[in-house]
Amino acid sequence: METIHNVFFKNSSDMCELNSESVDLMITSPPYPMIEMWDLLFSSLNDEIKEAFEEKDGKRAFNLIHKELDKVWIEVTRVLKPGGIACVNIGDATRTIGKNFQLFPNHVKITTSFLNYGFNELPSILWRKPTNSPNKFLGSGVLPPNAYVTLEHEYILIFRKGDVKRVIVPKSEKRYNSAFFWEERNKWFSDIWDDMGGISQKLHTKSTTPNKLRERSAAFPLGLAYRLINMFSIYGDVILDPFWGTGTTSLAAMVSARNSIGYELKSEFIDLFKKRIEELKQLNTDINNKRLNRHVKFINKYKKEVKDPKYKSNHYEFPVITKQEINLLLYSVKNHCENRNKFILNHEKFLFNSRIDY
Ligand SMILES: C[S@@+](CC[C@H](N)C(=O)[O-])C[C@H]1O[C@@H](n2cnc3c(N)ncnc32)[C@H](O)[C@@H]1O
């Protein structure tokens, strides 16, 4: 199987390279409005935003910034197929402007925009970033009543374009190959995720990744994009990230054998992305082995504590719980080539040698 991954270094408020209704799934994390690290970027897009900050008018800046993001959401609406899913990773912001401390509810603004553009909202996910800081409450003091709650979660807002679900050819082989395990379903489709970080931490601690550039990118964990892709798309689908950053969504699409398209203002991120895909094959093998080994462990426990599973996988040796899982198939990257920010990958069936008996 072949997949193609394109990156365009330009503003995603105009995605003229893409046909209308050509994208199956969007996964993105925009710069968070009212988080200081993005003030300059938003101010460069619109002078009025700069003025609002200079005048310490937080509410005006907040509204104007969301108007900039809306330009991208309008383009997303155009390029997404009917029934296609849009996942937006967003955090609210707390900030003192002048003497006024307040919350800027980004997730409310974005939800309102998507509803206005004809999307239906689906149940969203809250996820917690792993944090070990013992000092996170310092500064808020221990006296009532003027301490503030600390924000420790982010949202993954999930929307469907239009009123009708995406239509897939009945009995589509690709769809059945794209199945996830029963036990994964129970975990992935929970509205609270507190296990993000595993895959991405491994990736991000590599010494080849320049820290400063990564900090400026505010990348989300690879595991987050990987999970969403596997929940809401099938093999061969096209995944769009209009705020591409260091290309985490494309990387996740690559290891999931989906196509991807990214838009990003800062072309310097391409070098970081190229560094990231140097380890693509190994990353793909690690992710697949981790999933399949975890499944084998789960099956052994299930056998012991519940009963013998009824079904057996058609592509691997292990049992599965439901009939829908029997054609589940993972791919690994065989080779890849690059030409002017276009990456072409070949994928082959992933062969699994379990380290555990079942
Ligand atoms: C929060 S970061 C995305 C990080 C990304 N998810 C990752 O894992 O690296 C947001 C990115 O959007 C880019 N950006 C902001 N506005 C944009 C626009 N209108 N068009 C394209 N890229 C934009 C910024 O340069 C920044 O790299």
Side-chain angles (χ1 to χ4, degrees):
M1 193 201 321
E2 185 183 273
T3 61
I4 299 176
H5 306 264
N6 268 307
V7 195
F8 301 104
F9 287 101
K10 57 174 282 200
N11 195 317
S12 52
S13 59
D14 173 11
M15 297 194 264
C16 60
E17 296 75 13
L18 307 187
N19 289 331
S20 299
E21 303 189 352
S22 59
V23 167
D24 299 286
L25 169 68
M26 183 207 66
I27 296 176
T28 201
S29 183
Y32 295 178
M34 305 310 285
I35 297 280
E36 240 168 311
M37 72 178 278
W38 300 113
D39 286 2
L40 265 181
L41 184 142
F42 284 122
S43 297
S44 74
L45 296 176
N46 178 351
D47 284 345
E48 284 184 75
I49 296 174
K50 194 168 163 234
E51 277 165 30
F53 278 123
E54 281 165 1
E55 288 163 11
K56 304 208 183 310
D57 188 345
K59 287 198 171 72
R60 182 159 167 251
F62 176 61
N63 286 326
L64 286 166
I65 290 173
H66 276 283
K67 275 195 179 154
E68 288 303 313
L69 292 185
D70 282 349
K71 294 177 187 168
V72 178
W73 306 142
I74 288 169
E75 268 296 79
V76 168
T77 311
R78 179 182 71 78
V79 301
L80 206 58
K81 289 181 186 170
I85 303 279
C87 300
V88 184
N89 174 219
I90 188 74
D92 290 339
T94 49
R95 185 153 172 188
T96 304
I97 298 206
K99 286 190 178 158
N100 183 15
F101 174 89
Q102 62 184 300
L103 176 88
F104 293 95
N106 290 320
H107 83 281
V108 175
K109 275 278 193 192
I110 292 175
T111 302
T112 309
S113 294
F114 273 85
L115 296 184
N116 283 339
Y117 300 141
F119 283 79
N120 286 285
E121 190 174 15
L122 304 177
S124 50
I125 293 163
L126 295 188
W127 71 280
R128 277 168 77 108
K129 286 189 169 172
T131 163
N132 305 318
S133 168
N135 296 329
K136 65 187 174 190
F137 297 112
L138 267 189
S140 63
V142 291
L143 296 176
N146 287 331
Y148 303 118
V149 168
T150 301
L151 290 182
E152 291 187 90
H153 68 275
E154 297 195 8
Y155 297 83
I156 299 167
L157 305 173
I158 306 173
F159 307 98
R160 189 190 55 232
K161 182 176 159 180
D163 296 340
V164 194
K165 280 188 207 165
R166 212 179 125 190
V167 182
I168 311 242
V169 193
K171 307 234 170 295
S172 150
E173 196 187 346
K174 271 187 188 163
R175 187 183 188 199
Y176 282 85
N177 289 162
S178 312
F180 30 80
F181 292 118
W182 180 81
E183 68 277 13
E184 286 178 331
R185 195 236 178 264
N186 296 339
K187 195 167 176 176
W188 294 1
F189 285 81
S190 160
D191 64 346
I192 298 189
W193 290 359
D194 53 9
D195 60 339
M196 275 301 126
I199 293 168
S200 70
Q201 269 172 26
K202 182 166 183 264
L203 184 80
H204 291 159
T205 49
K206 292 274 182 213
S207 55
T208 49
T209 312
N211 272 340
K212 271 201 183 143
L213 203 55
R214 254 199 43 68
E215 269 166 31
R216 278 197 283 138
S217 75
F220 50 36
L222 177 67
L224 185 147
Y226 178 83
R227 192 178 283 185
L228 292 172
I229 287 173
N230 281 273
M231 288 165 73
F232 296 119
S233 72
I234 63 176
Y235 286 126
D237 271 2
V238 176
I239 320 292
L240 166 70
D241 188 342
F243 299 101
W244 191 74
T246 55
T248 311
T249 302
S250 287
L251 197 63
M254 288 174 167
V255 294
S256 309
R258 273 71 161 175
N259 301 285
S260 75
I261 299 162
Y263 282 84
E264 172 54 52
L265 290 173
K266 294 180 187 160
S267 56
E268 73 225 54
F269 285 144
I270 196 66
D271 294 334
L272 191 45
F273 183 68
K274 284 183 186 165
K275 283 233 160 70
R276 295 181 88 179
I277 65 168
E278 273 170 20
E279 295 155 20
L280 186 61
K281 274 183 164 185
Q282 189 56 47
L283 180 71
N284 206 162
T285 305
D286 290 351
I287 290 173
N288 289 350
N289 274 328
K290 196 168 173 181
R291 266 183 86 183
L292 299 185
N293 278 314
R294 202 182 272 158
H295 174 70
V296 169
K297 267 191 198 159
F298 165 80
I299 285 293
N300 284 345
K301 193 161 179 260
Y302 188 91
K303 267 180 166 174
K304 228 193 222 159
E305 293 174 8
V306 187
K307 59 178 179 188
D308 268 349
K310 207 164 149 195
Y311 302 97
K312 194 165 170 268
S313 165
N314 282 338
H315 297 286
Y316 302 103
E317 291 295 309
F318 47 66
V320 290
I321 304 292
T322 65
K323 198 174 168 191
Q324 289 181 338
E325 292 161 83
I326 61 178
N327 284 317
L328 182 154
L329 173 62
L330 297 185
Y331 286 92
S332 50
V333 175
K334 196 172 161 197
N335 53 50
H336 72 271
C337 63
E338 189 243 328
N339 186 9
R340 293 190 196 156
N341 305 335
K342 178 176 179 172
F343 301 82
I344 301 176
L345 271 62
N346 276 303
H347 307 260
E348 59 189 354
K349 178 180 169 177
F350 180 68
L351 302 173
F352 176 56
N353 295 314
S354 175
R355 285 184 276 112
I356 315 160
D357 290 337
Y358 40 84

